[in-house]
């Protein structure tokens, strides 16, 4: 066998060498792989190759391998550079919130705060707007009420006691409730008053305390005025009956001791006192104004002027 190999000609050796060496072939086309998975990349790295490609030690330097490595490296780089929050969304945030990292917690708190402000901001603004409107309304209403109340004070009711008429009086002996014998006085009189409401925008409700006649500290007669309503810019006469029945004197009025025999000579000074109250409801019961007038008049009971009017316009004081 060795002799046969040495006996071969140069042409045969050349042909054998040519057969043993691989023939040169034209440049193979490039293969491009787009985003392979890890399993596919392992297959491609460890022996999977296109059909007809030789398996020699320098296969990793082929253009196909370079293209695969470059695509794999690009995919790995894209995974490294990509923001995990965009890739995984809510799962990433839940994972890192569970781990308790400071940066992610701060970002999550900021997002929650922003979301909370965004959701509660319209309601809070609406509540503040309503509160401001209510406060402004109360301020305006208070100012308007104060203006009306101040304006009403300049419209004080006008009260004038015109006259008094003593229709009758009588003094006779009697017994008081305790059984003491004394003189008893019976008196009948009428008081006329003119009441005027000068207000231009409100009416008044008028009441009065009892009209009392006194002889110093001795109370001899009394009468109650009826309450009434007086509209704006109007007036009316008010007539009140003041009477006293079987009033014990206990010798307090010495001037009346001669009343049985000489009634026309009787002259007893008396005081007429009362208080009138006028209440104006300017804005319902929310805004009201009250006026008080304390009146005191000097009256003389004369036996010779029974049934006649005694003018009191110049004998009364108003407080």
């Amino acid at each position: 066998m060795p002799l046969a190999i040495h006996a071969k000609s140069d042409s045969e050796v050349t042909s054998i060498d040519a057969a043993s060496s691989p023939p040169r072939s034209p440049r193979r086309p490039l293969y491009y792989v787009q985003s392979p998975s890890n399993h596919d990349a392992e297959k491609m790295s460890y022996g999977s190759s296109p059909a007809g490609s030789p398996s020699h030690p320098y296969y990793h330097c082929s253009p196909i391998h370079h293209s695969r490595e470059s695509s794999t490296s690009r995919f790995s780089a894209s995974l490294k550079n990509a923001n995990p929050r965009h890739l995984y969304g809510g799962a990433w945030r839940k994972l890192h919130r569970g781990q308790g990292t400071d940066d992610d917690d701060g970002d999550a708190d900021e997002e929650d705060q922003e979301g909370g402000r965004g959701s509660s901001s319209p309601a809070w603004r609406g509540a503040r707007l309503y509160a401001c409107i209510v406060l402004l309304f109360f301020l305006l209403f208070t100012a308007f009420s104060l203006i009306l109340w101040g304006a009403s004070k300049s419209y004080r009711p006008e009260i004038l006691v015109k006259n008094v008429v003593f229709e009758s009086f009588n003094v006779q002996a009697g017994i008081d409730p305790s059984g003491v014998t004394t003189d008893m006085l019976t008196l009948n009189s009428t008081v006329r008053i003119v009441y005027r409401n000068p207000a231009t925008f409100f009416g008044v409700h008028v009441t009065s305390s009892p009209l009392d006649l006194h002889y110093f500290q001795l109370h001899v007669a009394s009468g109650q005025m009826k309450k009434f309503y007086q509209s704006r810019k109007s007036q009316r006469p008010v007539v009140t009956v003041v009477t006293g029945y079987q009033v014990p004197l206990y010798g307090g009025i010495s001037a009346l001791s001669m009343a049985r025999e000489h009634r026309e000579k009787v002259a007893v000074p008396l005081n007429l006192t009362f208080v009138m109250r006028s209440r104006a409801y300017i804005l319902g019961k929310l805004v009201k104004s009250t006026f008080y007038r304390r009146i005191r008049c000097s009256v003389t009971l004369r036996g010779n002027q029974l049934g006649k009017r005694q003018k009191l316009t110049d004998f009364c004081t108003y407080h």
Side-chain angles (χ1 to χ4, degrees), residues 87-199:
L87 292 177
Y88 300 102
W92 176 269
R93 287 193 293 270
K94 292 180 180 178
L95 177 61
H96 283 264
R97 286 179 184 174
Q99 293 178 355
T101 57
D102 296 336
D103 296 338
D104 293 339
D105 287 343
D107 296 339
D109 292 340
E110 290 178 359
E111 291 178 359
D112 294 339
Q113 290 176 1
E114 290 178 358
R117 284 195 297 267
S119 61
S120 63
S121 179
W124 174 247
R125 290 177 183 174
R128 286 193 301 177
L129 180 60
Y130 290 141
C132 291
I133 292 175
V134 172
L135 180 60
L136 180 61
F137 172 77
F138 276 110
L139 289 176
L140 292 176
F141 180 77
T142 303
F144 181 69
S145 301
L146 289 175
I147 291 173
L148 288 179
W149 181 81
S152 67
K153 292 300 181 181
S154 61
Y155 295 99
R156 193 177 184 87
E158 299 175 359
I159 302 172
L160 180 63
V161 181
K162 295 287 290 183
N163 54 65
V164 61
V165 178
F166 291 100
E167 281 83 10
S168 64
F169 79 95
N170 186 25
V171 178
Q172 61 184 8
I175 300 174
D176 67 357
S178 62
V180 178
T181 303
T182 182
D183 292 336
M184 297 290 184
L185 173 65
T186 300
L187 178 66
N188 188 11
S189 64
T190 303
V191 179
R192 287 178 173 83
I193 303 170
V194 175
Y195 183 93
R196 181 175 182 271
N197 178 22

